[in-house]
Amino acid sequence: MRPIAEATPLLQTPKKIFITTHHKPDGDAIGSMLALYHYLTSKGHSVTPVSPGELPDFLMWMPGVEHLLNYEAEPKLALQALADADIIYCVDFNDYSRTKHLTEQLAAATQPKILIDHHLMPAPVWDYGTSIPEKSSTAEMVYDYINQCGDNSLINKDIAECIYTGTMTDTGSFRFAITTADVHDMIADLKRKGLEHSIVHEHIYDSWSESRMKFLGYVLLERMEIFPKYNTGLITLSKKELRLFNVQSGDTEGLVNYPLSIANVRFATLITERGDEVKLSFRSKGDFDVSSFAREHFSGGGHFNASGGRSKESFSETVARFKKILSDIHPR
Ligand code: 5GP
Ligand code: MN
């Protein structure tokens, strides 16, 4: 992968640009994609941002969201945009399979592909890019990219809100250890460009439905197990429970973090039964590497302190296997 700066000559004349991100997009995925959309559009390019699947409700307010194509709703339009594109940007993922639906199409695409991402172990498939696991968020890297292009003055309120959303959600509202002085410097700059941060917080965190709040109560009371011996908290949710509470896409967002608020819990896992697979989310505090854990045991990956994976076994088999692994490795 060549440095992203070397891709600059490709952008000297107006281009058709396709941007995509990972399936089940979060605040950083959509924030990064839309920040880049606004920036490249302001430079005169024709840009199509494509989400591989639907967005959670708490992101539907974002500036530019009306220009997003959802592959699951409009696959033909999305594939046409990919075929027509001169350049492809991939943000907040580093392996084609994380897009789920676009895996083969991206692999077959011959246009220059540019990566902006902060996950560990990028697949060796990009022509240009920047991959920095020490970065708080891909949104912060989009901010750096715009600055490297000499375009700080093009950052307007829309771009600021998108970048803020991505960084805020990936850093747990600026509390995780990955939140550097550079992040705070960036936020100061975004504030000077018109960012109203409390409105973004309200959109993201104070937009729950009553049923989501009651579902959280149920989860904490009935579905959370704490294993003090292993410094671990586990939440498991079957398809039946998700249906019973009419759980919407995005309603399980953040659940995995709750056990980490208990003293001495340093490893938290959420296991959810979805469609034809079982999805696992892992979070840790300190030096337990959940990225390796996900890769080794659950065909996944991600970051040192936040990762995910999947299992093709049944829900109950997956939960049993997880508990067995726990007793074998004794996380600290
Ligand atoms: P989440 O638990 O929010 O789904 O994912 C946490 C982090 O791990 C995210 O940064 C996400 O990109 C990454 N991640 C989640 N699932 C997978 C997976 O199946 N494979 C890989 N490589 N990374 C994942
Ligand atoms: Mn991210």
Side-chain angles (χ1 to χ4, degrees):
M1 183 167 81
R2 294 158 66 185
I4 196 163
E6 290 182 24
T8 304
L10 302 177
L11 296 156
Q12 231 95 72
T13 53
K15 289 289 180 335
K16 292 198 196 78
I17 296 177
F18 179 93
I19 313 177
T20 195
T21 188
H22 58 81
H23 190 243
K24 292 213 134 277
D26 56 9
D28 192 32
I30 299 300
S32 300
M33 189 154 72
L34 288 178
L36 197 57
Y37 163 82
H38 290 296
Y39 167 61
L40 292 170
T41 301
S42 76
K43 297 283 283 180
H45 303 291
S46 163
V47 188
T48 309
V50 172
S51 170
E54 72 171 328
L55 266 58
D57 285 345
F58 65 83
L59 297 176
M60 293 308 286
W61 61 275
M62 291 194 66
V65 82
E66 66 279 11
H67 300 293
L68 271 181
L69 272 181
N70 170 1
Y71 177 90
E72 280 168 358
E74 299 183 288
K76 282 208 183 109
L77 280 180
L79 290 181
Q80 192 58 49
L82 180 59
D84 291 344
D86 301 312
I87 298 171
I88 298 168
Y89 279 85
C90 294
V91 299
D92 202 38
F93 71 99
N94 63 17
D95 186 327
Y96 295 148
S97 66
R98 292 277 293 128
T99 64
K100 194 164 172 180
H101 305 302
L102 291 165
T103 306
E104 274 108 54
Q105 287 87 344
L106 284 174
T110 53
Q111 300 96 322
K113 288 173 208 151
I114 304 177
L115 175 74
I116 304 178
D117 179 62
H118 66 140
H119 293 88
L120 293 160
M121 306 195 126
V125 292
W126 278 271
D127 299 293
Y128 304 92
T130 171
S131 164
I132 310 177
E134 295 76 27
K135 281 285 170 182
S136 68
S137 54
T138 301
E140 183 195 353
M141 299 176 73
V142 171
Y143 173 81
D144 292 345
Y145 177 53
I146 296 173
N147 285 338
Q148 280 155 21
C149 294
D151 286 324
N152 181 272
S153 63
L154 293 180
I155 298 177
N156 57 16
K157 190 177 175 193
D158 284 350
I159 295 180
E161 283 187 354
C162 293
I163 292 173
Y164 188 80
T165 300
T167 305
M168 179 189 83
T169 52
D170 259 29
T171 57
S173 298
F174 312 102
R175 60 184 283 236
F176 300 152
I178 198 133
T179 313
T180 58
D182 284 349
V183 169
H184 288 286
D185 284 344
M186 171 180 83
I187 304 304
D189 186 32
L190 299 180
K191 282 294 291 176
R192 292 189 186 101
K193 291 174 163 37
L195 169 71
E196 295 181 80
H197 66 275
S198 59
I199 293 177
V200 177
H201 280 261
E202 260 178 57
H203 279 304
I204 302 275
Y205 297 118
D206 303 339
S207 61
W208 288 39
S209 62
E210 185 183 337
S211 67
R212 181 179 175 187
M213 189 63 81
K214 290 190 166 149
F215 172 63
L216 170 64
Y218 165 79
V219 169
L220 297 180
L221 199 59
E222 304 286 347
R223 304 302 317 151
M224 183 173 72
E225 285 176 86
I226 301 299
F227 304 92
K229 198 169 143 194
Y230 308 130
N231 307 95
T232 295
L234 171 66
I235 295 173
T236 58
L237 290 168
S238 69
K239 211 185 279 183
K240 203 170 137 201
E241 285 157 324
L242 295 173
R243 217 179 298 123
L244 194 66
F245 283 86
N246 189 26
V247 173
Q248 304 296 307
S249 166
D251 285 358
T252 53
E253 183 81 24
L255 284 183
V256 63
N257 292 306
Y258 281 91
L260 291 177
S261 293
I262 298 172
N264 301 320
V265 171
R266 310 197 65 75
F267 176 38
T269 296
L270 170 69
I271 306 182
T272 39
E273 184 183 19
R274 294 191 189 275
D276 54 351
E277 65 177 14
V278 178
K279 165 91 178 89
L280 298 98
S281 285
F282 307 107
R283 299 291 185 274
S284 68
K285 274 187 193 165
D287 50 16
F288 182 62
D289 176 2
V290 291
S291 171
S292 306
F293 181 86
R295 213 173 309 117
E296 252 169 62
H297 302 290
F298 293 100
S299 325
H303 312 281
F304 192 91
N305 291 128
S307 69
R310 58 208 67 254
S311 157
K312 291 282 177 206
E313 299 158 308
S314 74
F315 177 65
S316 56
E317 282 165 347
T318 305
V319 173
R321 185 157 71 86
F322 175 82
K323 290 182 180 174
K324 168 77 172 60
I325 297 168
L326 209 56
S327 66
D328 289 343
I329 64 167
H330 282 250
R332 291 266 172 259

